[in-house]
Amino acid sequence: MTLKIQLTGIRKAFNEGQPNRFWAVNGVDLHLPEGQVTVLAGPSGSGKTTLLTLIGCLARPTEGRVLLNDRAISSLPEPFLAPLRRQTFGFVFQRFNLIRGLPVLDNVMVPAYPLGVPRRALRKRALHLLETLGLGPRADARVESLSGGEAQRTALARALINDPRILIADEPTANLDSELSRTLLEILARLRTEGRSLILSSHDPLVREAGMVDRVIELRDGRVVSDRVRSAVST
Amino acid sequence: MSDLRRVWERQRHLIDYSAASMARRKGRNLGLLTVYGGMVFLLASVLFYSSALKHEANLLLAGAPEIVVQRMVAGRYAPVSGEHLLALQGIRGLRDVEGRLWGYQYDPVVRANYTLMVPPEGGVRKGTAILGPALARARGAGHGDVISFRGHDGVLASFRIAEVLPMETALASADLLLIDETDFRTLFGIPSGEYTDLALRIPNPREVQTVAEKVLERLPDSRAILREEMQRTYDAIFDWRSALVLLPLSGALLAFAILAWEKASGLSADERREIGILKAVGWETRDVLRMKLWEGGLLSLLAFLFGTVAAYWHVFGLSAPLLAPVMQGWSVLYPDFRLTPAIEGSQLLALFFLTVFPYLVATLVPVWRAAVTDPDEVMR
């Protein structure tokens, strides 16, 4: 089954009901077909992160609807959102949001706990993911001891543990140097070849110009100012 | 994989996560466990101790006469005459009536009052005495020693100690001194045929009230004290003493309530963020609540267990050194005895609901509030 995402008239306000209310996303209409790599670009405060959280069901729009295969997921009650967050979307946060005090392996396994997968099978899957991302030897390390690149890859492994069809990554290269950024982009390109949709936010030219990118959507003040589809995509 | 297996595995993951979460906040949880366990310990100690004392008192009263008749003159207690005793004989339902002789003697040496008594069954030879264990300990006296008291006429009366009562009887006999009837009457100047009070034996418990009414009809200048009334008085006294201990403790209880409220009214930024992360990666609200329930449940059960076991050891192993001075009563001669463990299931249940239940509610409310909020908002 294909997974297409549609955003219609999306607006998101913060500090609602207060004098300092502002619209982080202010009227966005988008259609994101499956299997594409979409980059949301734009300066800080342009609404990239907010839009990602709305797509990933981490927040609800003030106005408008987010549709997944024509089903309005933005208005679903809370119990219906958890399975989507768990298995349809994988989210990599800009600041990683790893659980401090837990080892890398446990952090990666956490999203699968509610599924009731036996520990041994889950551990095997998590270790395989960590090996794939070059973090095998760091599986037992506490996340506080990780470098930026390691933390980023741990967050990626966590996002992938339940094998989601759509991966959302907020500024995936923001905390990485150029070399680590390239490595990460290679990993993301691999995920694209597996048929996953990738929705990234970045103001890093390295990401925007990466060969795997299908589409770059430029945001400013919460509005789409340009939507550029790349003709030739290399993986 | 079967549904049951999946449910079990899910719970196992949640328990593992809860345990890891507790270990990550070791200092805070240990502090909480200490305060919480301490509260349970104090509450359980008071409950166990008062219950055990009531139990002991009831055991002692089980052998007491059903009715004790005392004579009152001008509202004050006065000796009972032989005529009073004879007047009661023949009441239907009354098996036996006997005059008792007992009184108090102040001992300036240890500044304590002793209870002197003539045992109803006799058995104490003239010029000898049988001592209660606390009295013997206070006077440093043992078998063969001589103990002396100044009588009502100023004449010194000496008694050779024939026996010291065993420790098991300490609650009833701590300050007791058993002597012969003649010695008693000489010491206190009580003429032959007069008694301190009368003990009535009634085999049928349903007739006790009727007999008491008949006693008052025949002896209008007397009062009848029923064993049931004495039991109720003992219960009331120990309940009152429990309250006396719990009153100052209420400060600590209040502190615990404030601590619980603090937990209820807000999570730390780290805890909120963690809940937001768990929700963001696909945990359901009920998963978060279950995990926190395991965490809170484990902590509160541990505190309950530690507190209760420590209280049991304190009360029944060490004879409650922290509570005895207040709850046992005020006396120079404290009985030295070990209480028989007497705990009712309802007490444990009440203690459980008073301590574990409020804590769990206080823990789960803020977690639920955070868990039903959008993850993005919680993580901000």
Side-chain angles (χ1 to χ4, degrees):
Chain A
M1 194 183 78
T2 59
L3 283 177
K4 60 173 182 177
I5 297 167
Q6 208 172 338
L7 287 78
T8 56
I10 293 290
R11 297 181 87 201
K12 176 69 179 177
F14 286 108
N15 307 327
E16 191 131 45
Q18 291 170 35
N20 59 344
R21 183 188 76 167
F22 76 101
W23 293 97
V25 176
N26 198 357
V28 170
D29 297 282
L30 279 177
H31 177 75
L32 305 170
E34 195 189 23
Q36 287 197 349
V37 178
T38 305
V39 174
L40 302 179
S44 293
S46 59
K48 304 186 296 292
T49 300
T50 305
L51 199 56
L52 288 184
T53 60
L54 293 172
I55 295 170
C57 301
L58 303 187
R60 290 170 195 269
T62 312
E63 290 172 20
R65 297 192 303 168
V66 180
L67 295 111
L68 182 72
N69 285 353
D70 301 323
R71 183 180 176 217
I73 56 172
S74 51
S75 54
L76 284 176
E78 181 63 28
F80 293 94
L81 293 178
L84 289 174
R85 292 180 194 132
R86 189 163 58 220
Q87 282 167 298
T88 305
F89 300 103
F91 209 107
V92 181
F93 300 91
Q94 183 179 354
R95 293 187 185 280
F96 319 129
N97 279 343
L98 298 172
I99 295 169
R100 295 169 67 84
L102 281 187
V104 169
L105 186 67
D106 286 19
N107 260 284
V108 174
M109 294 194 296
V110 159
Y113 285 169
L115 293 174
V117 182
R119 191 162 181 90
R120 188 177 293 185
L122 182 57
R123 197 181 149 82
K124 195 175 160 190
R125 195 200 300 174
L127 277 171
H128 174 71
L129 263 174
L130 287 174
E131 292 288 348
T132 312
L133 297 173
L135 278 175
R138 302 288 279 154
D140 294 324
R142 294 203 174 275
V143 290
E144 295 90 309
S145 67
L146 299 180
S147 68
E150 287 172 330
Q152 181 68 276
R153 279 176 287 157
T154 303
L156 183 60
R158 182 179 67 182
L160 294 172
I161 189 74
N162 288 330
D163 199 19
R165 300 285 297 277
I166 301 164
L167 182 77
I168 300 172
D170 188 12
E171 299 282 1
T173 58
N175 298 289
L176 309 179
D177 60 30
S178 301
E179 197 183 327
L180 282 172
S181 296
R182 279 192 201 91
T183 312
L184 185 80
L185 288 171
E186 281 168 20
I187 295 167
L188 294 177
R190 273 209 309 268
L191 295 173
R192 183 187 187 278
T193 59
E194 291 167 4
R196 290 180 220 271
S197 300
L198 269 65
I199 306 169
L200 318 172
S201 82
S202 184
H203 53 250
D204 182 352
L206 207 63
V207 176
R208 283 200 309 255
E209 286 151 22
M212 64 168 176
V213 175
D214 298 290
R215 188 176 174 190
V216 178
I217 298 166
E218 185 88 22
L219 290 170
R220 197 168 290 267
D221 299 328
R223 289 193 170 91
V224 176
V225 290
S226 80
D227 188 347
R228 188 162 51 89
V229 178
R230 306 247 312 247
S231 47
V233 176
S234 65
T235 56
Chain B
M1 191 167 62
S2 70
D3 283 350
L4 201 66
R5 175 88 195 276
R6 187 167 286 126
V7 169
W8 160 239
E9 288 294 344
R10 180 195 276 219
Q11 291 304 320
R12 229 180 99 184
H13 288 311
L14 294 180
I15 295 168
D16 285 351
Y17 189 90
S18 305
S21 176
M22 286 176 79
R24 275 185 288 143
R25 299 180 180 102
K26 221 177 291 170
R28 200 195 75 155
N29 282 322
L30 276 176
L32 202 57
L33 194 68
T34 310
V35 175
Y36 194 172
M39 275 315 305
V40 176
F41 165 75
L42 288 172
L43 279 173
S45 291
V46 174
L47 272 178
F48 291 170
Y49 197 54
S50 97
S51 171
L53 282 177
K54 281 194 265 186
H55 179 75
E56 291 287 333
N58 285 336
L59 276 180
L60 289 173
L61 282 175
E66 281 74 22
I67 298 177
V68 170
V69 176
Q70 293 179 335
R71 189 174 157 231
M72 308 297 289
V73 174
R76 292 177 67 88
Y77 166 74
V80 188
S81 69
E83 287 80 46
H84 281 80
L85 195 150
L86 290 173
L88 296 182
Q89 281 172 352
I91 293 179
R92 278 175 72 87
L94 178 63
R95 190 183 67 193
D96 184 35
V97 54
E98 66 181 4
R100 299 195 305 184
L101 284 167
W102 60 272
Y104 299 118
Q105 178 78 33
Y106 181 70
D107 183 355
V109 180
V110 291
R111 294 176 187 172
N113 262 318
Y114 303 153
T115 304
L116 272 72
M117 186 180 252
V118 177
E121 64 280 8
V124 184
R125 279 189 295 111
K126 199 171 180 316
T128 67
I130 296 173
L131 260 60
L135 195 157
R137 191 182 64 229
R139 287 290 296 252
H143 183 265
D145 292 341
V146 172
I147 189 166
S148 304
F149 300 108
R150 197 166 294 280
H152 75 286
D153 50 3
V155 176
L156 206 64
S158 298
F159 304 94
R160 188 163 295 278
I161 298 166
E163 187 187 337
V164 175
L165 291 167
M167 207 58 89
E168 291 75 45
T169 64
L171 189 64
S173 66
D175 61 350
L176 196 65
L177 195 129
L178 300 172
I179 54 173
D180 166 66
E181 182 177 343
T182 316
D183 287 341
F184 186 90
R185 291 186 186 281
T186 310
L187 189 69
F188 290 104
I190 297 176
S192 176
E194 276 195 3
Y195 302 96
T196 313
D197 55 24
L198 302 175
L200 276 60
R201 296 281 179 185
I202 300 130
N204 185 352
R206 280 189 284 187
E207 286 182 347
V208 172
Q209 191 63 44
T210 318
V211 171
E213 283 164 17
K214 284 180 185 168
V215 166
L216 293 180
E217 272 173 29
R218 293 188 184 193
L219 303 173
D221 63 343
S222 304
R223 67 172 180 181
I225 302 163
L226 274 58
R227 191 173 64 192
E228 274 178 25
E229 287 172 349
M230 283 192 279
Q231 268 171 350
R232 278 202 296 273
T233 307
Y234 270 123
D235 286 352
I237 286 170
F238 291 128
D239 285 343
W240 176 75
R241 286 177 187 167
S242 302
L244 207 69
V245 175
L246 286 174
L247 201 67
L249 264 185
S250 58
L253 279 169
L254 189 69
F256 180 65
I258 290 169
L259 187 81
W261 176 250
E262 277 291 307
K263 275 186 81 71
S265 56
L267 295 166
S268 71
D270 259 6
E271 281 173 310
R272 271 180 72 81
R273 189 175 148 273
E274 188 175 322
I275 290 170
I277 294 170
L278 294 174
K279 288 298 302 282
V281 299
W283 282 38
E284 291 174 33
T285 302
R286 61 181 178 173
D287 294 324
V288 177
L289 286 175
R290 276 183 193 140
M291 181 270 286
K292 286 291 175 185
L293 190 69
W294 278 115
E295 199 178 312
L298 206 64
L299 189 90
S300 51
L301 281 176
L302 271 177
F304 181 76
L305 202 71
F306 285 151
T308 312
V309 170
Y312 188 94
W313 176 68
H314 170 233
V315 172
F316 301 114
L318 302 177
S319 301
L322 296 176
L323 300 174
V326 184
M327 290 188 63
Q328 209 169 283
W330 290 267
S331 174
V332 176
L333 299 176
Y334 279 116
D336 186 9
F337 64 101
R338 291 223 163 166
L339 288 165
T340 315
I343 302 169
E344 290 166 27
S346 59
Q347 281 182 327
L348 282 177
L349 209 66
L351 193 65
F352 183 83
F353 275 101
L354 273 171
T355 53
V356 174
F357 194 65
Y359 179 81
L360 284 182
V361 172
T363 312
L364 289 182
V365 169
V367 172
W368 172 79
R369 264 194 263 154
V372 292
T373 311
D374 284 340
D376 180 56
E377 196 184 322
V378 181
M379 284 188 291
R380 270 172 199 277

